[in-house]
Amino acid sequence: MGGKAGVKRGELQRPGAQETKMGELPLDINIQEPRWDQSTFLGRARHFFTVTDPRNLLLSGAQLEASRNIVQNYRAGVVIPGLTEDQLWRAKYVYDSAFHPDTGEKVILIGRMSAQVPMNMTITGCMLTFYRKTPTVVFWQWVNQSFNAIVNYSNRSGDAPITVGQLGTAYVSATTGAVATALGLKSLTKHLPPLIGRFVPFAAVAAANCINIPLMRQRELQVGIPVTDEAGQKLGQSATAAKQGIFQVVISRIGMAIPAMAIPPVIMNTLEKKDFLKRRPWLGAPLQVGLVGFCLVFATPLCCALFPQRSSIHVSRLEPELRAQIRQQNPSIEVVYYNKGL
């Protein structure tokens, strides 16, 4: 629900905006928000195509720190001489790709959204390729849930700490749920056409997402996540907002998996009957990984864009205590905002 992202090139500066020297970048570009209008799906999609760009993984620590300095200096009112608007936005997106928006800490490499496509294409491709034998089903579901645990923790909403015990409970529960679902469906589908069996990994991933994400973010459900007014001023903590945000993330993650885990099995089921692949069975795995990667390049940003990152909730739906507190502080506030996480 973010607004337009500051002054666009070619527009006149707003009345009252801070004066700058001729040719110097103005200080009223709102880099607190994404560059594109987040009230529209197209704007959110453009934002997430930039956020999930795998090329951001290749940036060095020095480049990340340089981008952080540009962003923090600009927010403090300091403009590096010669800095252009495009360079500012590039620095903002590099900064956002590597640092948590609430805590400011650097996110572990494979936990960043820019790692989603390369990591998921490898893991998902292997889950879809090695689905016939129980040991490989267990192994790849474990790998997938280990990766998901890192991503869910790295992209949690708010700055509430989570204990090692809570992390362990979420991780073990999600892995057990995914493996149990995969093995259960595998045994049920062994007498059905081979194509049906290819969809077992998707069912396991969907079930695991419903377990893993809420458990990994259980701290938010207990103490709530920060809610703010339109200007970004914190109004309190809300567990109700956390529930809504986590639900949206679960839907996005399942949607993200559908193209990558539904389209390649159909294509591979057809190709494996052809002489070309029968003579070259070793091509099956890389071909499947490539198909998954192609789907994820589009599915990942588009499904992240299903809901605004800065989501909103009506004050009337908040907890009674928080609702009363907000009504007392500012009766005119009808909607509050929160970071839903990814």
Side-chain angles (χ1 to χ4, degrees), residues 30 32 35-36 65 104 114 122 235 299 326:
N30 186 9
Q32 293 293 113
R35 186 171 193 174
W36 298 281
E65 288 301 324
S114 49
T122 304
L235 300 171
I326 293 173

Side-chain angles (χ1 to χ4, degrees), residues 3 33 40 52 84 91 130 167 220 249 253 258 261 289 297 311 333:
E33 300 289 344
T40 68
T52 61
T84 67
F130 307 111
L167 278 173
E220 298 172 33
V249 171
R253 293 286 185 86
I258 290 175
M261 302 192 79
V289 169
V297 164
S311 289
I333 295 179

Side-chain angles (χ1 to χ4, degrees), residues 47-268:
H47 166 69
F48 280 109
F49 267 107
T50 306
V51 169
T52 61
D53 187 344
R55 292 175 297 179
N56 288 334
L57 294 175
L58 303 177
L59 298 173
S60 67
Q63 289 173 303
L64 296 179
E65 288 301 324
S67 294
R68 176 157 70 171
N69 289 337
I70 290 174
V71 170
Q72 291 181 339
N73 285 338
Y74 187 84
R75 288 173 178 169
V78 179
V79 179
I80 296 174
L83 184 70
T84 67
E85 185 177 345
D86 284 338
Q87 289 172 336
L88 174 64
W89 282 113
R90 172 60 182 159
K92 179 248 189 326
Y93 273 103
V94 168
Y95 173 77
D96 287 351
S97 76
F99 297 92
H100 192 279
D102 291 329
T103 66
E105 66 185 19
K106 186 183 289 186
V107 177
I108 186 173
L109 190 70
I110 63 172
R112 299 172 191 172
M113 289 308 293
S114 49
Q116 282 284 297
V117 172
M119 289 297 295
N120 273 325
M121 69 181 283
T122 304
I123 296 171
T124 305
C126 289
M127 281 196 296
L128 293 176
T129 301
F130 307 111
Y131 69 95
R132 292 184 176 91
K133 296 182 179 179
T134 298
T136 54
V137 169
V138 172
F139 175 75
W140 284 108
Q141 289 293 339
W142 168 73
V143 170
N144 187 49
Q145 290 313 312
S146 299
F147 171 64
N148 282 344
I150 293 171
V151 172
N152 293 337
Y153 177 73
S154 300
N155 294 282
R156 68 199 182 282
S157 176
D159 51 7
I162 183 168
T163 67
V164 174
Q166 291 170 328
L167 278 173
T169 300
Y171 174 60
V172 172
S173 301
T175 303
T176 303
V179 171
T181 302
L183 295 181
L185 290 177
K186 180 176 177 291
S187 64
L188 290 174
T189 58
K190 63 172 62 174
H191 301 300
L192 296 176
L195 180 59
I196 303 298
R198 288 179 179 273
F199 290 100
V200 168
F202 168 68
V205 166
N209 273 327
C210 294
I211 300 169
N212 195 330
I213 297 172
L215 282 174
M216 193 61 65
R217 295 173 58 175
Q218 61 186 289
R219 178 72 177 167
E220 298 172 33
L221 296 172
Q222 294 167 355
V223 304
I225 57 176
V227 294
T228 69
D229 59 18
E230 192 170 9
Q233 294 298 314
K234 184 176 176 180
L235 300 171
Q237 301 274 129
S238 171
T240 302
K243 291 176 187 176
Q244 179 173 296
I246 290 171
F247 175 76
Q248 292 173 344
V249 171
V250 169
I251 296 299
S252 295
R253 293 286 185 86
I254 293 175
M256 201 183 296
I258 290 175
M261 302 192 79
I263 297 173
V266 175
I267 296 174
M268 291 302 298

